[in-house]
Amino acid sequence: MNTKVNLAGVELKNPVMTASGTFGSGEEYSEFVDLNKLGAVVTKGVAAVPWPGNPTPRIAETYGGMLNAIGLQNPGIDVFCERDIPFLKKFDTKIIVNVCGKTTEDYCAVVERLSEEPVDMLEMNISCPNVKEGGIAFGQDPKAVEAITKEVKKYARQPVIMKLSPNVTDITEMAKAAEAGGADVLSLINTLTGMKIDIHKRAFAIANKTGGMSGPAVKPIAVRMVYQTANAVKIPIIGMGGISNGEDAVEFLLAGATAVSVGTANFQNPRATEEVVKGIEDYMKQYQFEDVQELIGLVK
Ligand SMILES: Cc1cc2nc3c(=O)[nH]c(=O)nc-3n(C[C@H](O)[C@H](O)[C@H](O)COP(=O)(O)O)c2cc1C
């Protein structure tokens, strides 16, 4: 059985990766998950300088998911390169670094710095709904998406993944803009903007008032957007949003994703990523698929 997939020339042993921000840089999960079994580890977003993140509370449970407004807390690129990359290099998995910034120059500085590091791909988070500047400011305007993609590509040595926001009217417009800017791969979806009010405290459940919604409840929206995007662009797609098991992952592959990421499910079940790998293999055995690539975009 072949489970290998190819993303812009980078071969993954299977299509399963972690979703940025839900797996640290792998270390805290490595006692539950054999990282060697994953197609790739996607790190938490890293910026040019350390960011403190948003005030607490920053997460809240919702029906079938959660809201978060972490605000891209991170130690900055220097600590990341010294501490996290050497840890991940010990494993036989691909390393994808998620990058965040407030300005185009911020993104480019991190991308340039990473060009010397032994990482396989770079993912640009232009879709975080939880920071005031940067992030979403880029991800909701097709002209800005194209411009930042072009700029980042000038500095990148590794293939560039542009991570798209679902908080738009037409996801295919953003996808086409990223492709026109030279993106190698797209990933979607980031979280959907939501709100929860604590009726007993008569206050917002999270200090930022709004947060990004993720988890099983968002999966049908994510599958729809992956399907639409796969039919609008030629570059490969990493699908995510509510994947908890192999069957969920297969749904994204059938919709047109070449690879999948597991996010919120890690909080409930720290072994979720490994179980998704096994679940895809079980599905392939059950329906006698020899090659995982036969599944990609099979449902038209
Ligand atoms: C607590 C938390 C932190 C996140 N941090 C990031 C981040 O730093 N960068 C990013 O691109 N996406 C971030 N995300 C979005 C996820 O990577 C993913 O796109 C989204 O949660 C949908 O997948 P899921 O439903 O499997 O969680 C975060 C999500 C959560 C729940």
Side-chain angles (χ1 to χ4, degrees):
M1 181 192 295
N2 176 45
T3 58
K4 286 186 196 138
V5 293
N6 191 298
L7 287 176
V10 178
E11 190 178 83
L12 274 56
K13 64 175 69 162
N14 63 58
V16 181
M17 51 180 77
T18 62
S20 178
T22 64
F23 207 76
S25 286
E27 192 151 10
E28 56 240 58
Y29 278 88
S30 57
E31 63 178 287
F32 302 105
V33 176
D34 179 1
L35 302 185
N36 298 301
K37 296 218 169 109
L38 304 183
V41 171
V42 183
T43 68
K44 169 88 188 142
V46 61
V49 290
W51 290 8
N54 287 331
T56 55
R58 309 200 280 198
I59 55 168
E61 271 189 60
T62 59
Y63 292 118
M66 64 182 281
L67 288 173
N68 92 81
I70 306 295
L72 302 175
Q73 179 179 345
N74 81 93
I77 187 68
D78 291 333
V79 171
F80 176 79
C81 289
E82 277 155 36
R83 186 188 65 189
D84 296 352
I85 297 177
F87 172 77
L88 286 170
K89 280 311 285 177
K90 292 192 276 186
F91 299 92
D92 177 22
T93 187
K94 299 296 180 203
I95 305 173
I96 301 179
V97 181
N98 183 279
V99 178
C100 50
K102 292 178 178 160
T103 62
T104 303
E105 292 72 34
D106 285 350
Y107 285 90
C108 291
V110 178
V111 165
E112 189 170 27
R113 171 76 202 273
L114 287 168
S115 67
E116 304 302 319
E117 295 288 334
V119 301
D120 299 287
M121 300 182 94
L122 310 176
E123 181 180 60
M124 300 302 120
N125 179 7
I126 53 162
S127 45
C128 180
N130 303 323
V131 288
K132 288 194 180 68
E133 322 101 311
I136 198 67
F138 295 103
Q140 286 176 328
D141 171 3
K143 284 200 185 77
V145 170
E146 184 174 344
I148 192 170
T149 309
K150 262 193 191 141
E151 217 37 50
V152 159
K153 279 292 289 176
K154 287 185 195 159
Y155 295 88
R157 190 182 57 79
Q158 299 91 342
V160 170
I161 305 164
M162 298 305 287
K163 185 160 178 180
L164 303 182
S165 171
N167 300 308
V168 294
T169 312
D170 183 357
I171 189 98
T172 64
E173 255 190 82
M174 306 302 153
K176 285 184 202 153
E179 186 179 47
D184 299 289
V185 178
L186 300 176
S187 61
L188 60 142
I189 59 173
N190 207 317
T191 54
L192 287 143
T193 308
M195 180 181 278
K196 180 178 177 177
I197 290 174
D198 182 330
I199 60 160
H200 304 292
K201 293 184 185 151
R202 285 168 290 282
F204 298 105
I206 42 185
N208 191 51
K209 296 186 185 172
T210 58
M213 188 177 168
S214 60
V218 309
K219 195 185 72 173
I221 302 171
V223 171
R224 184 260 295 176
M225 288 189 164
V226 165
Y227 175 81
Q228 289 177 318
T229 304
N231 285 289
V233 297
K234 295 197 175 62
I235 51 180
I237 295 164
I238 303 165
M240 73 198 85
I243 297 176
S244 309
N245 55 45
E247 292 177 4
D248 294 335
V250 167
E251 212 177 322
F252 279 81
L253 298 173
L254 293 173
T258 298
V260 292
S261 286
V262 180
T264 301
N266 292 305
F267 298 136
Q268 210 177 23
N269 170 15
R271 296 193 171 83
T273 43
E274 238 188 280
E275 290 176 14
V276 171
V277 175
K278 165 104 179 24
I280 295 174
E281 289 169 5
D282 290 347
Y283 177 89
M284 288 173 66
K285 271 184 216 137
Q286 186 186 351
Y287 290 99
Q288 289 158 11
F289 284 98
E290 272 305 309
D291 191 332
V292 75
Q293 297 187 39
E294 293 169 51
L295 298 176
I296 300 168
L298 190 58
V299 174
K300 299 288 178 211

